[in-house]
């Protein structure tokens, strides 16, 4: 937990601002200044090319490549899929008097860049001091449209400060982007050309044949006479801009990218669709595009803003988190999920984990329920892959993959893909949590039930009966705590499986009574048998939940209490990260845990555990946790708040909103910690706000960090947009939109309507 | 255990004979008809080339290649070394009237081959019916000299049956041998030429730069006029033989191969050494070479033969085992070890395992103590590599590799290389066992003690104290039973570590008293500290040995008794081998065991466990064991004999001697099960002979399989060659050579001298 901030960026409530160019931090800034609209994402790399250290990355949801794994054992994956680096649609090369602009070589001053949360744009500008003595101000502005998924806009402006002359510009579409892990471009060109003023190219991935159409139309402040440039996997236009001292000239590139990720479309049809979109985009007024983007974001901030008074750094941090979450995902495209790094880098290969349901789903559920539903729809869409995976591992039903981009298991470490079972229960928990808080029974009955049945089948065939205990449980597993590699009866897995069985049985019973016809359809489709229901009931009833009755401490797994003790504070700082500095096997031989496991289920099913139980388990497990997962501190912070350890709660929160902005883990260069960003939101809402969403209605137990004057957040609950403001002396609740609702505050029922209610801040709940 | 023999070869007491050529069985026969002399080995492939399914293999101890492994974690190996396929020094191509001899295409009759245990030769002959109507008898005889390590001899004879004419022959040295796993030759040629009548070529391995000089001189029954043939990685001689109807003509190729495995020698010096050996070999009389080979083997059979009356199949089988063991290893070259497949195939990459000390050492100890010592010297020679490995895994002292060819860890599965700790204790047991039975304290004091200290250091730093039990043990380990992948306090490992500490402490104490000067040297060299001795003593004393006091059953590891039960007989035969048909993780979730674990230590330290304890543990563990390791049945057979389960003992023995001859595992094509061959010897001597060598003197408890009339075996013990003959009514003991000794038979002390002693066969000990 010895995390140290690398403070570098300027603090601003509504923007990320970097002043001055630091080549050492270039990759980190490329991650932070990423833009995305869930359909596509692009790192904040230099449009004009950069010969120094850089990770130019342009990613599209659904465009994946495949790698074959040499493996001889059954049940271990043979192929892994990964997100592929795609077209550089921002490709720009600028030459003045024979000198090429390249920040690694050119002399520049007054460099600044800005990511603006209100306009949804990224703008970068500087003065280029040419060797010949000319000074040219160059400004790059870009956006990725939140309303027109295919559209990217780039504006490049030039203002000569001490000369008049010309600039040579080549702007293009480049499929030669290197996928860094593979060390080459993963594309082959299919077609390129210029039609109806649209410059376009289409390519496909080498092994999976995913196709991508990319195109642009140019607008300019002056008439330009462009010449087509073509080479392997590249098409562009070259032209000369006339520049007059003091006067700004610019051109705008309206780029349209169009994917065919399932490789089912013909080249002709994708080309035709792309061309149609490109021609339409070419007719757009660029100011209208900027304005529509601003309107979109204004709507977002109206429903989803978190305001923190008295702490400008966290104010900036949490808005950055919310901004990036919406950029990564907002549920407009069914079939997408949230990669651990979103669309901001190659690390984790674009794969989605249980983070989606455990950490991201609540943010969407309470801000954008449609997006939350879309996330669950991803699991429904990939149910067939999960059923194949269950067969691969000699089980029945559906085994959801530990890491996936398209529903197939893409984790190439068998110890994770074959032993970690917590994705299936994350999905069933997600369904339960979503239905509970949105009341969307239509989803439960149509798709949820089918998933629950298939997930239950998996857990009923993967588990076994202990020979001595006579109890049911899971052998040879790794829980969420990845520092206990292969254990029996992980308490989290067992408890979550018990909850899964119970919820599936309850859903079946409810459907039989409420929607018998729909239920008959699910029965028919899944082939559900009565014996299975009896079996699940028996297994839920006899599920082993290791617990020391004297101390009330749950044993993380059978034998955990005998694991050799290590004082985690005795580990030298230089040993971190342990994965890099400790022998692999050594990580797994202590009572040291990597992230919450017992504490995780105590949070997920908060209402079922007494305060005393939480205190006992927190006090046992927290000192053993090294938080090597970036998801860990927030959960601890939330529990610490609940049990009144407010100082500790704030300590755990300290880097939640600024994990990437201050590069705490020193790996932001690889991409943003997108799912941790969601945990930062939870940390405020569930932590300081003390919200709980696992009970019969929403409850709150707000506290206020001492450093803050006040804070407010909003949640969408049963169609009502609730605004909660926590001040030094009071907490106010107001239904901003949608009528009224009942909530529980500090254990007391409260009706909230448009008029609002204020109550005193709970005693002793001033945090950190 | 549902193993079925593939009976095919002719039964003969002193030879392996195949009559008729079966292309389907060709690879299997290539393994069985392998020749070797520990310096080199060559599969029984067709000298003349074969275009059908074949694995031409020529291997040299110490010639290895290296493969880089993509791995990101510390402590997991980055390179693996493997035995490389080397020169085809038997390369022969024969053309008559333009037709090329190739058993995959040519018409032949009266095909037979014979591997002769008395002459140490492999002979193959057939009549070749040419398309033109000519019939030519062709005979290939080869040997690999047991007395001149560098020498291989090939004799090719031709007898035209119905014509006179000529045969074109090209004989050469070919480095284009394909390493099957890599799919290419791993050699590049350095030099080739003809000097002093010697045709020679020298090449080196691609990445490790191991050099091999290969050469030949030809003798012939007629004057031949040869022409040099050279091409990439090949040199040969082409000539015409004049053939007269009915008359046999032959030529002999005296091949000399000379290795420089540590890549330290200059090309010139290796070439000069090889040339000198080749010139000398060229002067040898071929009949003298055959005769010397026969004399050598005659000596071997005099000391090491096992005679079985009334069971020709096992008679042939056990002699095949002994023959192959001597071919694989006889201790003439320090620094060699015994690969799992010897020098007979690529499978297991030529790597040696704990099999060496646990299964092979006893054979050598009681037949050829010098060879046994050489095996231990391999571990001493590779102590530096074991010490580096210990550092790699964050421990001190020496961590002997789970799989190695040169002392470095070469197992690329971390779950084995990082979790299996039983090689170090196999080495310490080997030292203890060897010293106990040979009295070679000089070895113990000079090298053994140093190894013991470094191994103890490893076990004292890899182990940990259980937090709840307060006992010392090993967490995150895999015992010999590879079906329990990652467990805590594996009983075998803990017990063996306890014995290791005790033996090291006893050795230290003995040396301090007996050889203080030598001991001072060891102290200085190892930097041994008194605190370490105290630490080892404490850890030995508090070692956790999981045992159920009520039943007397040792728990294989903490929690084993709760592992879900599976009736192994309920597993469909089609599921075997389980590694191929079960999901990888599923293998590890039952009380099913792969091979003896608790029973293994009860055998190794037989004298420390009561008959009752052995019965209880055998009856618990045997029904749970699927014997997926080929080493497993023999240990069970030995224990079954001891506890009077004679039928069962025989059942387990049934395929021991003929595992490869009858291809029980259907994978003999990949190479012989060389270390299982050693277990077959143990099965007779320790099983039916009831010998135990872990006590104060040798003891015997002989039984006689019902199917056998009698059997005899010999063991070298304290310089005395003891002959034990077990007959239906009596057991006789005789000191064939070297004086007299004391032994224990059926619990009674007995002095054995040259006159011999006979006692009645013990009651109720007629086996199977």
């Amino acid at each position: 937990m010895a995390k140290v901030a690398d403070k570098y960026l300027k603090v601003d409530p509504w923007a990320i601002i970097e002043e001055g160019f630091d080549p050492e931090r270039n990759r980190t800034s490329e991650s932070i200044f990423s833009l995305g609209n869930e359909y596509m994402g692009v790192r904040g790399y230099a449009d004009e090319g950069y010969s120094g250290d850089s990770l130019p990355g342009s990613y599209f949801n659904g465009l994946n490549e495949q790698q074959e794994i040499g493996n001889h054992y059954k049940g271990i994956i043979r192929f892994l899929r990964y997100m592929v680096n795609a077209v550089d649609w921002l490709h720009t090369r600028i030459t003045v008097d024979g000198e090429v602009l390249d920040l690694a070589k050119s002399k520049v001053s007054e460099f600044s860049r800005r990511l603006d949360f209100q306009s949804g744009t990224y703008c970068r500008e500087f003065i280029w001091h040419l060797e010949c003595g000319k000074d040219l101000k160059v400004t790059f502005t870009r956006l990725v449209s939140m309303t027109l998924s295919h559209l990217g806009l780039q504006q490049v402006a030039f203002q000569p400060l001490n000369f008049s002359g010309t600039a040579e510009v080549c702007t293009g579409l480049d499929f030669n982007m290197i996928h860094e892990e593979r060390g080459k471009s993963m594309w082959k060109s299919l077609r390129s050309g210029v039609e109806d003023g649209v410059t376009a190219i289409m390519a496909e991935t080498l092994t999976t044949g995913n196709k991508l159409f990319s195109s642009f139309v140019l607008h300019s402040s002056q008439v330009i006479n462009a010449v087509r440039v073509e080479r392997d996997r590249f098409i562009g236009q070259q032209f000369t801009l006339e520049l007059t001292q003091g006067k700004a000239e610019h051109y705008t590139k309206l780029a349209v990218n169009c994917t065919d990720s399932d490789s089912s479309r013909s080249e002709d049809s994708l080309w035709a669709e792309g061309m149609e979109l490109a021609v339409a985009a070419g007719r757009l007024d660029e100011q209208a595009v900027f304005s529509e983007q601003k309107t979109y974001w204004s709507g977002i901030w109206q429903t989803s803003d978190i305001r923190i008074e008295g702490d400008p750094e966290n104010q900036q941090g949490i808005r950055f988190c919310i901004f990036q979450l919406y950029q990564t995902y907002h549920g407009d495209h069914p079939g997408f999920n949230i990669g651990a790094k979103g669309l901001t880098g190659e690390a984790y290969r674009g794969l989605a984990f249980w983070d989606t349901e455990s950490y991201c789903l609540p943010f969407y559920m309470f801000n954008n329920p449609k997006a939350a539903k879309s996330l669950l729809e991803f699991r429904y869409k990939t149910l067939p892959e999960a059923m194949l995976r269950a067969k691969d591992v000699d089980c029945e039903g559906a085994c959801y993959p530990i890491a996936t981009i398209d529903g197939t298991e893409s984790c190439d470490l068998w110890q994770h893909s074959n032993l970690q079972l917590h994705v299936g229960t994350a999905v069933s928990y997600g369904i339960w949590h979503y239905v509970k808080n949105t009341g969307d029974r239509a989803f439960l009955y149509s798709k949820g039930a089918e998933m629950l049945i298939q997930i239950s089948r998996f857990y009923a065939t993967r588990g076994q009966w202990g020979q001595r205990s006579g109890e049911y449980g899971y052998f040879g597993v790794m829980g969420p705590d990845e520092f206990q590699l292969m254990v029996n009866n992980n308490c989290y897995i067992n408890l979550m499986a018990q909850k899964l069985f119970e919820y599936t049985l309850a859903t079946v019973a409810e459907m039989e009574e409420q929607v018998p016809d729909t239920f008959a359809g699910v029965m028919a489709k899944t082939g559900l048998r009565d014996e299975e229901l009896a079996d699940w009931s028996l297994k839920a009833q006899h599920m082993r939940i290791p617990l020391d009755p004297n101390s009330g401490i749950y044993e993380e797994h059978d034998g955990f209490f005998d694991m050799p003790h290590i004082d985690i504070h005795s580990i030298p700082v230089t040993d971190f990260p342990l994965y890099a500095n400790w022998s692999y096997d050594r990580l797994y031989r202590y009572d040291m845990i990597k992230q919450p496991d017992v504490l995780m289920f105590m949070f997920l099913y908060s209402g079922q555990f007494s305060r005393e139980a939480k205190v006992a388990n927190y006090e046992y497990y927290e000192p053993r946790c090294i938080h090597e997962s970036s998801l860990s501190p927030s959960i601890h912070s939330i529990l610490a708040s609940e049990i009144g350890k407010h100082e500790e709660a704030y300590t755990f929160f300290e880097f939640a909103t600024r994990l990437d902005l201050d590069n705490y883990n020193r790996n932001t260069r690889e991409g943003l910690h997108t799912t941790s960003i969601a945990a930062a939101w939870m940390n405020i809402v569930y932590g300081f706000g003390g919200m709980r969403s696992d009970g019969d209605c929403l409850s709150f137990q707000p506290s206020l960090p001492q450093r803050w004057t006040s804070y407010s957040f909003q949640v969408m609950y049963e169609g009502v947009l609730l605004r909660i403001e926590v001040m030094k002396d009071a907490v106010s609740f107001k239904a901003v939109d949608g009528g009224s609702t009942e909530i529980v505050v500090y254990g007391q029922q409260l009706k909230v309507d448009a008029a609002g209610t204020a109550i005193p801040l709970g005693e002793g709940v001033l945090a950190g």
Side-chain angles (χ1 to χ4, degrees), chain A:
Chain A
M1 280 291 295
K3 291 185 193 287
V4 179
D6 178 22
K7 302 242 176 247
Y8 170 59
L9 302 167
K10 207 177 156 188
V11 175
D12 182 287
W14 286 106
I16 305 300
I17 299 163
E18 178 179 352
E19 290 181 340
F21 178 67
D22 181 355
E24 294 287 310
R25 287 186 169 91
N26 184 46
R27 281 193 184 223
T28 303
S29 288
E30 285 174 357
S31 299
I32 290 171
F33 290 88
S34 287
L35 287 181
N37 68 355
E38 117 175 342
Y39 186 80
M40 58 180 159
V42 62
R43 287 169 58 83
Y45 60 88
D47 314 58
E48 72 277 16
Y50 179 70
S51 61
D53 187 36
S54 166
L55 179 66
S58 163
Y59 311 104
F60 290 80
N61 244 317
L63 294 186
N64 312 320
E65 260 293 1
Q66 176 168 289
Q67 183 193 348
E68 190 165 358
I69 314 262
N71 161 48
H72 306 295
Y73 296 113
K74 183 172 184 288
I76 304 184
I77 63 160
R78 287 171 191 269
F79 296 94
L80 65 80
R81 293 235 166 185
Y82 59 93
M83 183 174 78
V84 69
N85 200 354
V87 68
D88 176 12
W89 53 269
L90 293 155
H91 179 99
T92 309
R93 297 296 179 266
I94 297 167
T95 312
V96 173
D97 286 1
E99 191 178 337
V100 177
L101 176 59
D102 174 356
L103 290 190
K105 294 171 182 165
S106 305
K107 193 178 160 201
V108 301
S109 67
E110 294 180 42
F111 176 97
S112 76
R113 45 181 149 185
R114 175 187 182 94
L115 182 69
D116 191 295
F117 308 149
Q118 290 172 304
S119 64
T121 55
Y122 165 41
C123 179
R124 189 169 51 99
E125 62 182 18
F126 48 84
I127 297 168
W128 177 17
H129 305 285
L130 284 109
E131 283 179 18
C132 58
K134 293 177 176 173
D135 296 333
L136 177 63
K137 184 173 176 190
V138 191
T139 308
F140 296 89
T141 307
R142 65 171 87 151
L143 69 72
V144 174
S145 171
M146 294 296 278
T147 50
L148 297 169
S149 305
H150 304 89
L151 182 67
L153 180 151
Q154 176 200 42
Q155 194 169 70
V156 187
F158 301 86
Q159 186 179 11
L161 302 184
N162 60 357
F163 73 101
S164 291
T166 59
E168 290 296 317
V169 176
C170 177
T171 185
L173 306 163
D174 190 2
F175 273 103
N176 290 292
M177 291 276 265
I178 301 298
H179 191 84
E180 196 160 59
E181 196 187 356
R182 294 271 142 260
K184 62 174 184 179
S185 160
M186 304 308 291
W187 295 90
K188 72 172 175 213
S189 182
L190 295 172
R191 191 191 293 195
S192 63
V194 179
E195 293 172 19
D196 302 330
V198 175
T199 305
I201 184 169
M202 188 164 67
E204 69 176 9
T205 50
L206 295 178
T207 68
T208 46
N210 288 178
K211 287 190 270 293
L212 173 60
F213 168 95
S214 187
S215 68
F216 67 87
V217 170
L218 292 180
H219 294 181
S220 174
S221 58
Q222 62 181 246
V223 176
I224 56 175
N225 189 10
V227 178
R228 184 194 313 189
V229 182
E230 282 195 86
R231 48 180 191 268
D232 190 30
R233 293 183 286 212
F234 176 89
I235 191 166
Q237 297 286 351
Q238 181 135 13
F239 55 88
T240 303
L241 280 180
E242 299 292 335
L243 304 176
T244 309
Q245 185 166 343
K247 189 180 168 214
E249 296 282 346
H250 75 271
Y251 71 88
T252 306
K253 187 177 187 179
L254 291 147
V256 160
N257 298 299
C258 188
T259 67
D260 168 44
S261 58
D262 64 357
S263 312
S264 67
R265 297 272 298 278
S266 72
E267 289 182 29
D268 285 347
S269 102
L270 182 63
W271 184 268
E273 183 192 340
M275 273 297 171
E276 195 173 321
L277 289 165
V279 168
R283 295 199 194 105
L284 291 172
D285 171 67
E286 60 212 59
Q287 286 316 316
V289 174
F290 281 121
S291 159
E292 190 167 313
Q293 183 85 340
K294 197 166 183 174
T295 305
Y296 178 90
W297 280 107
S298 163
I300 296 298
W301 297 118
Q302 253 169 25
T303 56
S304 300
D305 190 25
I306 291 185
R307 197 179 43 71
I308 301 174
E309 297 291 339
D311 186 345
E313 294 203 346
N314 275 311
Q315 176 63 81
Q316 180 185 41
I318 190 63
R319 286 203 178 117
F320 176 72
C321 294
I322 295 167
F323 183 76
Q324 289 293 0
L325 278 168
Y326 270 100
Q327 287 209 123
T328 301
Y329 192 80
H330 45 269
D332 279 355
H333 302 85
F336 291 170
N337 202 326
I338 302 173
K341 302 267 168 202
L343 298 162
T344 69
E346 285 181 21
Y348 289 103
R349 303 189 180 122
L351 302 172
F353 299 80
W354 76 315
D355 307 19
T356 297
E357 285 79 11
S358 305
Y359 293 89
C360 301
L361 194 68
F363 171 81
Y364 292 104
M365 231 160 67
F366 292 110
N367 282 288
N368 181 355
K370 187 193 69 155
K373 183 175 171 179
S374 273
L375 282 175
L376 295 172
E377 301 257 11
F378 172 88
R379 300 296 187 181
Y380 185 74
K381 183 180 172 227
T382 59
L383 183 58
E385 286 79 8
M387 291 179 69
L388 286 173
R389 176 68 185 152
K391 277 211 182 71
D392 276 354
V393 296
D394 296 347
C395 291
E396 295 171 19
C399 171
Y400 279 102
I402 196 72
T404 190
I405 197 160
D406 65 349
T408 60
E409 178 62 78
S410 282
C411 173
D412 57 342
L413 297 172
W414 67 266
Q415 57 271 40
H416 292 270
S417 56
N418 291 51
L419 306 185
Q420 292 199 293
L421 309 184
H422 53 264
V423 178
T425 52
V427 174
S428 60
Y429 181 86
I431 297 168
W432 175 80
H433 201 198
Y434 167 78
V435 171
K436 172 178 276 295
N437 285 287
T438 62
D440 187 356
R441 294 199 120 59
F443 174 78
L444 175 64
Y445 297 159
S446 64
K447 297 173 178 170
E450 196 182 328
M451 285 193 272
L452 289 172
I453 288 166
Q454 297 297 6
I455 297 170
S456 292
R457 273 184 175 148
F458 172 70
Y459 282 84
T461 46
R462 175 61 167 81
Q464 293 165 284
W465 293 93
Q467 196 170 170
R468 182 159 273 194
S469 71
E471 294 177 304
Y472 191 75
Y474 297 86
F475 291 78
V477 296
M478 188 196 308
D481 169 17
E482 296 183 330
F483 276 180
Q484 306 291 329
L485 193 139
M486 192 176 192
V487 302
N488 301 329
N489 291 307
N490 168 268
C491 200
Y492 176 92
I493 294 179
N494 285 17
L495 186 131
M496 294 299 282
Q498 185 183 47
K499 295 286 178 195
L500 157 72
F501 289 140
E502 288 169 358
Y503 183 49
T504 305
L505 292 167
T507 301
V508 163
E510 178 182 315
M511 287 183 74
E512 265 185 307
E513 197 183 302
Q514 303 290 330
V515 286
D517 291 351
T518 312
F519 182 64
V522 171
M523 286 278 280
K525 186 160 183 196
T526 59
L528 180 66
R529 288 165 293 113
D530 283 342
E531 311 88 80
E532 290 183 287
L533 299 174
D535 180 51
W536 303 344
S537 172
L538 187 76
K539 286 169 177 169
Q541 207 178 325
H542 293 280
M543 188 67 71
R544 178 166 179 77
I545 309 290
L547 169 71
D548 177 354
N550 297 319
S551 62
I553 298 170
Y554 290 91
E555 187 169 20
E556 192 183 287
H557 58 78
D558 282 347
F560 181 85
F561 290 150
D562 192 44
M563 290 303 288
H565 181 60
I566 186 168
D567 173 4
I568 59 172
H569 302 294
S570 72
I571 302 171
V573 174
T574 48
D575 280 15
F576 293 89
L578 297 183
Y579 277 115
N581 296 300
W582 278 28
S583 175
Y584 187 68
D585 56 282
R586 184 178 163 206
L587 294 163
Y588 308 109
R589 297 194 252 117
Y590 296 96
D591 64 346
M592 171 175 70
I593 68 177
K594 182 180 167 193
Q595 63 213 94
D597 198 285
V598 164
L599 297 185
M600 188 71 195
F601 69 70
M602 296 191 110
F603 165 64
L604 293 178
Y605 289 102
S606 176
Q608 309 218 352
F609 300 95
S610 69
R611 190 175 186 284
E612 292 66 40
K614 283 173 188 158
V615 170
N617 283 276
Y618 183 92
E619 288 184 345
Y620 181 83
Y621 284 108
E622 191 286 316
R624 288 169 169 80
C625 182
I626 67 157
H627 309 284
E628 189 128 336
S629 159
S630 62
L631 303 169
S632 180
S634 292
I635 298 299
H636 282 83
S637 179
I638 293 168
L639 281 160
S641 275
E642 179 176 353
I643 61 177
K645 293 176 182 282
H646 296 299
E647 277 291 340
E648 212 162 304
Y650 197 81
T651 303
F652 281 123
F653 169 74
E654 227 150 21
F655 50 82
T657 73
R658 300 185 63 86
L659 185 66
D660 286 316
L661 292 184
D662 295 337
N663 197 11
Y664 277 94
N665 284 3
R666 301 295 189 271
N667 60 1
T668 294
R669 63 203 330 268
E670 300 173 356
L672 300 177
H673 295 79
T674 305
T675 48
S676 303
I677 275 173
W681 180 88
M682 287 174 75
N683 204 334
I684 294 177
V685 174
Y686 284 85
F688 304 132
M691 184 174 91
R692 289 295 178 274
S693 48
D694 62 299
D696 290 333
C697 69
L698 274 193
S699 67
F700 296 88
Q701 187 188 313
S703 61
L704 176 68
Q706 266 183 337
R707 294 160 183 76
W708 297 0
T709 311
S710 72
Y711 67 99
S712 69
F713 60 92
Q714 302 190 140
V715 291
M716 184 80 77
Y717 179 61
E718 293 184 341
V720 179
L721 184 62
L722 270 180
R723 178 181 164 80
I724 296 93
E725 184 164 10
V726 184
M727 294 153 289
K728 285 212 184 286
D729 51 354
V731 189
S732 77
F733 296 86
K734 188 175 175 181
V736 180
D737 192 16
S740 68
T741 187
E742 297 270 332
I743 58 172
V744 170
V745 181
Y746 299 128
Q748 304 297 316
Q749 203 79 15
L750 197 71
K751 190 181 170 183
V752 181
D753 57 22
T757 318
I759 61 164
L761 186 69
E763 270 182 74
V765 289
L766 220 62

